[in-house]
Amino acid sequence: MATEALIERILAAGDGPSSSAIDALHELLDDATIEASAMPRSVAEAARLVGLSTPTLRYYEQEGLVRPARNTSGYRAYSVFDLRRLVFLTRMRLSGMTMTDLKRYILLVEQGPETIPERRRIMLDQQDRIKRQIRELGLALEVTEYKIRVYDGHPED
């Protein structure tokens, strides 16, 4: 499936990750599914597709997280590989991964397969942080729902 269609499917998932969106995400992160014939995207198209602003994309480039090629006119040309990396970056930032950790991770990716153990460690640490966030958000939701019941006059529900 085309990268753009996969990204659209993920972003259209709504309230929670459906099995369809999760399947699309897995396919999107699998480099074996990259279609070589896909046309590069401009910075505006790439920003729209992944839901970021163009200044954010430029910032990610400045920080070395993505390195889009330049077309013959000198404009950024985001490849399918770049778009897929941006999806990864946006999900990690959304989950609270720091720019320092992201830069370290991308540097390791670019160094090759011998860095997989260290990349795995970074992802395991991030997984722990995300699980903690989920627990904290679950408690925040409970407090919110309790207050709503109180305001509706039914604190015992």
Short mmCIF file of all heavy atoms in Angstrom, two decimals, residues 47-78:
data_model
loop_
_atom_site.label_atom_id
_atom_site.label_comp_id
_atom_site.label_asym_id
_atom_site.label_seq_id
_atom_site.Cartn_x
_atom_site.Cartn_y
_atom_site.Cartn_z
N ALA A 47 4.36 18.25 5.28
CA ALA A 47 3.80 18.78 6.53
C ALA A 47 2.32 18.42 6.65
O ALA A 47 1.87 17.95 7.70
CB ALA A 47 4.00 20.29 6.60
N ARG A 48 1.56 18.63 5.57
CA ARG A 48 0.14 18.30 5.59
C ARG A 48 -0.07 16.81 5.81
O ARG A 48 -0.90 16.41 6.62
CB ARG A 48 -0.52 18.71 4.27
CG ARG A 48 -2.02 18.41 4.23
CD ARG A 48 -2.59 18.36 2.83
NE ARG A 48 -1.94 17.43 1.94
CZ ARG A 48 -2.15 16.11 1.94
NH1 ARG A 48 -2.95 15.55 2.81
NH2 ARG A 48 -1.51 15.33 1.08
N LEU A 49 0.71 16.02 5.14
CA LEU A 49 0.52 14.57 5.20
C LEU A 49 0.76 14.02 6.60
O LEU A 49 0.03 13.15 7.06
CB LEU A 49 1.46 13.90 4.18
CG LEU A 49 1.23 12.44 3.92
CD1 LEU A 49 -0.19 12.16 3.43
CD2 LEU A 49 2.23 11.94 2.89
N VAL A 50 1.79 14.51 7.28
CA VAL A 50 2.09 13.98 8.62
C VAL A 50 1.53 14.83 9.75
O VAL A 50 1.71 14.49 10.91
CB VAL A 50 3.61 13.74 8.81
CG1 VAL A 50 4.13 12.71 7.84
CG2 VAL A 50 4.41 15.02 8.71
N GLY A 51 0.86 15.93 9.42
CA GLY A 51 0.21 16.73 10.44
C GLY A 51 1.14 17.61 11.24
O GLY A 51 0.90 17.86 12.42
N LEU A 52 2.18 18.10 10.61
CA LEU A 52 3.12 19.00 11.27
C LEU A 52 3.16 20.32 10.52
O LEU A 52 2.73 20.41 9.38
CB LEU A 52 4.53 18.40 11.30
CG LEU A 52 4.73 17.13 12.11
CD1 LEU A 52 6.13 16.57 11.88
CD2 LEU A 52 4.51 17.41 13.59
N SER A 53 3.72 21.34 11.15
CA SER A 53 3.90 22.61 10.46
C SER A 53 5.20 22.56 9.66
O SER A 53 6.10 21.78 9.97
CB SER A 53 3.96 23.76 11.48
OG SER A 53 5.14 23.65 12.26
N THR A 54 5.29 23.42 8.65
CA THR A 54 6.54 23.46 7.88
C THR A 54 7.72 23.92 8.74
O THR A 54 8.81 23.38 8.58
CB THR A 54 6.39 24.33 6.62
OG1 THR A 54 5.94 25.62 6.97
CG2 THR A 54 5.42 23.70 5.63
N PRO A 55 7.53 24.86 9.68
CA PRO A 55 8.66 25.19 10.55
C PRO A 55 9.14 23.99 11.39
O PRO A 55 10.34 23.84 11.64
CB PRO A 55 8.13 26.31 11.45
CG PRO A 55 7.04 26.95 10.66
CD PRO A 55 6.41 25.81 9.90
N THR A 56 8.21 23.14 11.81
CA THR A 56 8.60 21.95 12.57
C THR A 56 9.44 21.02 11.69
O THR A 56 10.45 20.48 12.14
CB THR A 56 7.38 21.21 13.13
OG1 THR A 56 6.68 22.09 14.01
CG2 THR A 56 7.77 19.95 13.88
N LEU A 57 9.03 20.84 10.44
CA LEU A 57 9.82 20.00 9.54
C LEU A 57 11.21 20.58 9.34
O LEU A 57 12.20 19.84 9.35
CB LEU A 57 9.13 19.84 8.18
CG LEU A 57 7.84 19.06 8.15
CD1 LEU A 57 7.38 18.85 6.71
CD2 LEU A 57 7.97 17.73 8.84
N ARG A 58 11.28 21.88 9.19
CA ARG A 58 12.60 22.53 9.02
C ARG A 58 13.44 22.36 10.29
O ARG A 58 14.65 22.15 10.23
CB ARG A 58 12.42 23.99 8.64
CG ARG A 58 11.87 24.15 7.25
CD ARG A 58 11.80 25.63 6.84
NE ARG A 58 11.23 25.74 5.51
CZ ARG A 58 10.00 26.20 5.26
NH1 ARG A 58 9.24 26.62 6.25
NH2 ARG A 58 9.55 26.27 4.02
N TYR A 59 12.79 22.46 11.44
CA TYR A 59 13.49 22.26 12.71
C TYR A 59 14.03 20.83 12.81
O TYR A 59 15.18 20.62 13.19
CB TYR A 59 12.55 22.56 13.88
CG TYR A 59 13.13 22.22 15.23
CD1 TYR A 59 14.17 22.97 15.78
CD2 TYR A 59 12.65 21.13 15.96
CE1 TYR A 59 14.72 22.65 17.02
CE2 TYR A 59 13.19 20.81 17.19
CZ TYR A 59 14.22 21.57 17.72
OH TYR A 59 14.76 21.24 18.93
N TYR A 60 13.21 19.85 12.45
CA TYR A 60 13.67 18.46 12.46
C TYR A 60 14.87 18.28 11.54
O TYR A 60 15.81 17.55 11.85
CB TYR A 60 12.55 17.50 12.06
CG TYR A 60 11.52 17.23 13.14
CD1 TYR A 60 10.44 16.42 12.89
CD2 TYR A 60 11.62 17.77 14.42
CE1 TYR A 60 9.48 16.15 13.86
CE2 TYR A 60 10.68 17.52 15.39
CZ TYR A 60 9.61 16.71 15.12
OH TYR A 60 8.68 16.44 16.09
N GLU A 61 14.85 18.95 10.41
CA GLU A 61 15.98 18.89 9.48
C GLU A 61 17.22 19.54 10.11
O GLU A 61 18.31 18.98 10.08
CB GLU A 61 15.62 19.58 8.18
CG GLU A 61 16.73 19.51 7.15
CD GLU A 61 16.40 20.22 5.85
OE1 GLU A 61 15.24 20.67 5.67
OE2 GLU A 61 17.30 20.31 5.01
N GLN A 62 17.02 20.71 10.70
CA GLN A 62 18.12 21.43 11.36
C GLN A 62 18.76 20.58 12.46
O GLN A 62 19.97 20.61 12.64
CB GLN A 62 17.58 22.74 11.93
CG GLN A 62 18.55 23.56 12.73
CD GLN A 62 17.86 24.74 13.40
OE1 GLN A 62 16.82 25.22 12.96
NE2 GLN A 62 18.43 25.20 14.49
N GLU A 63 17.93 19.81 13.16
CA GLU A 63 18.42 18.96 14.24
C GLU A 63 18.99 17.63 13.75
O GLU A 63 19.44 16.81 14.55
CB GLU A 63 17.30 18.71 15.25
CG GLU A 63 16.85 19.96 15.99
CD GLU A 63 17.96 20.59 16.82
OE1 GLU A 63 18.65 19.85 17.55
OE2 GLU A 63 18.16 21.82 16.71
N GLY A 64 18.94 17.39 12.45
CA GLY A 64 19.52 16.17 11.89
C GLY A 64 18.63 14.95 11.99
O GLY A 64 19.10 13.83 11.79
N LEU A 65 17.35 15.15 12.26
CA LEU A 65 16.45 14.02 12.41
C LEU A 65 15.93 13.51 11.07
O LEU A 65 15.56 12.34 10.94
CB LEU A 65 15.26 14.39 13.30
CG LEU A 65 15.64 14.73 14.74
CD1 LEU A 65 14.43 15.25 15.50
CD2 LEU A 65 16.24 13.53 15.43
N VAL A 66 15.88 14.39 10.08
CA VAL A 66 15.46 14.01 8.74
C VAL A 66 16.32 14.84 7.78
O VAL A 66 16.68 15.97 8.07
CB VAL A 66 13.94 14.25 8.54
CG1 VAL A 66 13.57 15.70 8.61
CG2 VAL A 66 13.45 13.63 7.26
N ARG A 67 16.67 14.23 6.65
CA ARG A 67 17.53 14.91 5.69
C ARG A 67 16.94 14.80 4.28
O ARG A 67 17.43 14.01 3.47
CB ARG A 67 18.92 14.29 5.73
CG ARG A 67 19.65 14.54 7.02
CD ARG A 67 21.04 13.91 7.00
NE ARG A 67 21.75 14.18 8.23
CZ ARG A 67 21.66 13.44 9.33
NH1 ARG A 67 20.90 12.37 9.34
NH2 ARG A 67 22.32 13.75 10.41
N PRO A 68 15.91 15.59 4.00
CA PRO A 68 15.32 15.50 2.67
C PRO A 68 16.30 15.98 1.60
O PRO A 68 17.12 16.87 1.87
CB PRO A 68 14.10 16.42 2.75
CG PRO A 68 14.45 17.39 3.83
CD PRO A 68 15.28 16.63 4.81
N ALA A 69 16.22 15.36 0.44
CA ALA A 69 17.05 15.80 -0.68
C ALA A 69 16.52 17.14 -1.17
O ALA A 69 15.47 17.61 -0.73
CB ALA A 69 16.97 14.76 -1.79
N ARG A 70 17.24 17.74 -2.07
CA ARG A 70 16.81 18.98 -2.71
C ARG A 70 16.55 18.68 -4.19
O ARG A 70 17.29 17.92 -4.81
CB ARG A 70 17.87 20.07 -2.59
CG ARG A 70 18.23 20.46 -1.16
CD ARG A 70 17.15 21.31 -0.56
NE ARG A 70 17.45 21.65 0.83
CZ ARG A 70 17.10 22.79 1.38
NH1 ARG A 70 16.46 23.69 0.70
NH2 ARG A 70 17.38 23.01 2.64
N ASN A 71 15.49 19.26 -4.71
CA ASN A 71 15.21 19.06 -6.13
C ASN A 71 16.09 20.00 -6.95
O ASN A 71 16.89 20.75 -6.39
CB ASN A 71 13.72 19.20 -6.43
CG ASN A 71 13.19 20.60 -6.19
OD1 ASN A 71 13.93 21.59 -6.15
ND2 ASN A 71 11.89 20.72 -6.02
N THR A 72 15.93 19.98 -8.27
CA THR A 72 16.79 20.79 -9.14
C THR A 72 16.62 22.28 -8.91
O THR A 72 17.52 23.05 -9.22
CB THR A 72 16.50 20.46 -10.62
OG1 THR A 72 15.10 20.65 -10.87
CG2 THR A 72 16.90 19.03 -10.96
N SER A 73 15.49 22.68 -8.33
CA SER A 73 15.27 24.09 -8.00
C SER A 73 15.77 24.45 -6.61
O SER A 73 15.67 25.61 -6.20
CB SER A 73 13.78 24.42 -8.10
OG SER A 73 13.29 24.15 -9.39
N GLY A 74 16.27 23.47 -5.88
CA GLY A 74 16.80 23.72 -4.54
C GLY A 74 15.79 23.56 -3.42
O GLY A 74 16.11 23.79 -2.26
N TYR A 75 14.55 23.16 -3.77
CA TYR A 75 13.53 22.97 -2.75
C TYR A 75 13.64 21.58 -2.13
O TYR A 75 14.07 20.62 -2.78
CB TYR A 75 12.12 23.13 -3.36
CG TYR A 75 11.85 24.53 -3.84
CD1 TYR A 75 11.78 24.82 -5.20
CD2 TYR A 75 11.64 25.57 -2.92
CE1 TYR A 75 11.53 26.12 -5.64
CE2 TYR A 75 11.38 26.85 -3.35
CZ TYR A 75 11.33 27.12 -4.71
OH TYR A 75 11.08 28.40 -5.14
N ARG A 76 13.20 21.49 -0.87
CA ARG A 76 13.21 20.19 -0.19
C ARG A 76 12.29 19.22 -0.92
O ARG A 76 11.19 19.60 -1.33
CB ARG A 76 12.73 20.35 1.25
CG ARG A 76 13.68 21.07 2.15
CD ARG A 76 13.01 21.42 3.49
NE ARG A 76 13.91 22.12 4.37
CZ ARG A 76 14.12 23.43 4.33
NH1 ARG A 76 13.49 24.18 3.44
NH2 ARG A 76 14.97 24.00 5.16
N ALA A 77 12.74 17.97 -1.02
CA ALA A 77 11.94 16.92 -1.67
C ALA A 77 11.92 15.73 -0.72
O ALA A 77 12.89 14.98 -0.62
CB ALA A 77 12.56 16.54 -3.01
N TYR A 78 10.80 15.59 0.01
CA TYR A 78 10.67 14.53 1.00
C TYR A 78 10.33 13.20 0.32
O TYR A 78 9.29 13.07 -0.30
CB TYR A 78 9.60 14.89 2.03
CG TYR A 78 10.06 15.96 2.99
CD1 TYR A 78 9.97 17.30 2.66
CD2 TYR A 78 10.60 15.61 4.22
CE1 TYR A 78 10.41 18.28 3.54
CE2 TYR A 78 11.04 16.58 5.10
CZ TYR A 78 10.95 17.91 4.76
OH TYR A 78 11.38 18.87 5.63
#
